[in-house]
Amino acid sequence: MNPAIQQKPSGNQVGAGEHRKRIAIFGSTGSIGTQALDVIEANSDKFVVTILTAHSNHQLLIEQALKFRPYAVVIVDETKYNATRQALSSAGIQVMAGEQALEDAAALDKYDMMLAAIVGFAGLKPTLKAIENGRSIALANKETLVVAGDIVMQRAVEKRTPVIPVDSEHSAIFQCLVGETRNRIEKIVLTASGGPFLGKKPNYLVNVKREHALQHPNWNMGAKISIDSATLMNKGLEMIEAKWLFNLKPEQIQVVIHPQSIIHSMVQFEDGSLKAQMGLPDMKLPIQYAMAFPQRIPNAFPRFDFSKSAQLSFEPPDIKTFRNLGIAMEALYKGGNLPAVLNAANEISVFGFLRNRIGFLDMTEVIERTMQKIPFIAKPTLEEYFESDAEARNFAASLLNL
Ligand code: NDP
Ligand code: MG
């Protein structure tokens, strides 16, 4: 049973005449979600939270809801429904539960912008629902575009719904493109820190453990993207994300390793001029930019200091060692359902690695074998994307004996 929408809506703090942007944070208990709440708290004259969602961390969700007083919350894990409802119903906050409740919440008219900050494939359906609902999207959940980027962006265009990137590289490119609508992009350059194992070779990687892989040098992120950063899969997913966000051909997307993470990415125009967006690595900046766009709002985040930074360096990625980036590029070039298959197999292999079921280098093998196994579809429908995801997940899980 889906206990969603069991209570009569009440206690919505957003009254008539509300001038603040109403934000729905899908994935509010995660790394991006909690940082977004910090940004909102610091700018309570501009933003108000109206929907919060979590998968199973109901304690943090309750804490957030009691502080920010949204109209509704979603807890996906239905075993946490009663505890969440008991804690929030007296505060007049609607509590919804179950997977379907994410889409039901996305269909509400109680928000202006969705911050899509759920991790993985699970973020796709609610984001599509928000687009159908004509809400603007601040997109952190890159997997949404990796799986079904053509359909998502086409629907966004039909609905005239802005999709504003939160991923720091894509935010950088988006910022570089402001004022350049008539100018053609020659190429974009996505920067990558290289992750915790930059410079290492397979004989080292074969023995690395989850604790080691979760330690990112520059960014403090959720577990899945931290592993993706360590394997460089994250950069491959970002190439596919960039293709759809900026309507690029695969050959227009280049990756460069830039260990300091100060240049967040660059655009090269037809005259050869390169524009870069720079700053200290702090996700609050792209989150704030996406929520406030087209405005820039002041903040007290630490500033980059040229006198203290010794150097900015660049090198090509080592795709012989970090083969996940190579296979993601293959999916980018071949297109069709291959990126969806890549993404599903990657989610399963990261899950397996985080539970110490497989080694660091085994992840590539699981993904490669899954990509070879699942039949290629050149122009999938949305249903076919979902089917490819399910088939790939099942096959990859069978390889791991999950
Ligand atoms: P986290 O793992 O920290 O948070 C994920 C959020 O999604 C949590 O709120 C979690 O709830 C919820 N969630 C997890 N699984 C499901 C599910 N099956 N259904 C519904 N909700 C679910 O991830 P991050 O914040 O690091 O990343 C979020 C997204 O943003 C990812 O797509 C990532 O690639 C992207 N991104 C993240 C960056 C970062 O710095 N963290 C940078 C750029 C992009 P619960 O807490 O209850 O498990
Ligand atoms: Mg990124």
Side-chain angles (χ1 to χ4, degrees), residues 102-162:
L102 288 174
E103 286 182 78
D104 296 342
L108 295 171
D109 64 359
K110 299 291 179 190
Y111 68 104
D112 304 307
M113 170 177 266
M114 170 192 277
L115 173 63
I118 288 175
V119 62
F121 176 81
L124 172 59
K125 283 185 185 171
T127 307
L128 271 173
K129 186 60 83 174
I131 291 172
E132 252 172 55
N133 192 11
R135 309 290 136 171
S136 48
I137 309 289
L139 187 76
N141 178 256
K142 63 192 82 185
E143 295 91 345
T144 284
L145 292 184
V146 173
V147 174
D150 54 345
I151 291 177
V152 172
M153 292 310 289
Q154 190 192 328
R155 292 198 178 169
V157 168
E158 284 161 12
K159 286 283 178 182
R160 296 168 187 261
T161 303

Side-chain angles (χ1 to χ4, degrees), residues 73-297:
V73 301
V74 177
I75 181 79
V76 174
D77 179 348
E78 298 191 24
T79 65
K80 309 286 173 59
Y81 172 67
N82 282 335
T84 311
R85 189 179 51 77
Q86 270 163 24
L88 298 181
S89 57
S90 59
I93 297 165
Q94 185 178 341
V95 179
M96 306 156 79
E99 217 179 291
Q100 176 60 37
L102 288 174
E103 286 182 78
D104 296 342
L108 295 171
D109 64 359
K110 299 291 179 190
Y111 68 104
D112 304 307
M113 170 177 266
M114 170 192 277
L115 173 63
I118 288 175
V119 62
F121 176 81
L124 172 59
K125 283 185 185 171
T127 307
L128 271 173
K129 186 60 83 174
I131 291 172
E132 252 172 55
N133 192 11
R135 309 290 136 171
S136 48
I137 309 289
L139 187 76
N141 178 256
K142 63 192 82 185
E143 295 91 345
T144 284
L145 292 184
V146 173
V147 174
D150 54 345
I151 291 177
V152 172
M153 292 310 289
Q154 190 192 328
R155 292 198 178 169
V157 168
E158 284 161 12
K159 286 283 178 182
R160 296 168 187 261
T161 303
V163 178
I164 304 169
V166 169
D167 211 349
S168 57
E169 297 77 1
H170 306 74
S171 174
I173 290 161
F174 190 87
Q175 293 181 53
C176 290
L177 291 175
V178 169
E180 301 278 6
T181 43
R182 286 159 187 248
N183 295 323
R184 277 201 43 207
I185 297 171
E186 193 165 88
K187 70 171 184 184
I188 63 164
V189 184
L190 295 177
T191 52
S193 69
F197 305 133
L198 177 61
K200 303 292 187 208
K201 293 293 170 195
N203 61 355
Y204 177 91
L205 295 175
V206 73
N207 293 318
V208 302
K209 294 282 173 268
R210 75 189 284 281
E211 290 67 30
H212 200 180
L214 284 171
Q215 298 302 317
H216 195 278
N218 303 345
W219 303 95
N220 187 6
M221 310 178 287
K224 194 251 174 188
I225 186 174
S226 296
I227 302 303
D228 285 345
S229 299
T231 63
L232 292 200
M233 176 58 87
N234 183 50
K235 213 47 55 181
L237 300 179
E238 290 184 355
M239 292 177 84
I240 301 169
E241 180 187 12
K243 169 181 165 174
W244 297 120
L245 272 173
F246 306 112
N247 196 18
L248 298 169
K249 295 193 176 71
E251 50 276 15
Q252 288 176 291
I253 307 168
Q254 188 187 344
V255 169
V256 68
I257 303 289
H258 166 47
Q260 299 83 10
S261 298
I262 297 298
I263 295 185
H264 297 309
S265 280
M266 297 171 259
V267 179
Q268 182 170 306
F269 294 94
E270 283 187 306
D271 59 357
S273 180
L274 270 167
K275 262 171 112 172
Q277 187 266 337
M278 302 169 66
L280 290 174
D282 181 351
M283 284 309 296
K284 283 189 191 142
L285 186 53
I287 291 168
Q288 173 181 302
Y289 183 83
M291 290 198 313
F293 179 78
Q295 244 191 309
R296 287 189 185 271
I297 50 183

Side-chain angles (χ1 to χ4, degrees), residues 1-44:
M1 183 201 60
N2 175 6
I5 319 187
Q6 289 197 337
Q7 290 171 255
K8 270 228 161 287
S10 64
N12 179 22
Q13 281 67 31
V14 183
E18 176 61 71
H19 60 281
R20 295 176 295 176
K21 193 182 274 185
R22 301 170 305 165
I23 311 280
I25 306 183
F26 278 59
S28 65
T29 50
S31 161
I32 294 290
T34 51
Q35 294 183 81
L37 285 171
D38 291 345
V39 170
I40 291 172
E41 190 178 6
N43 295 282
S44 55

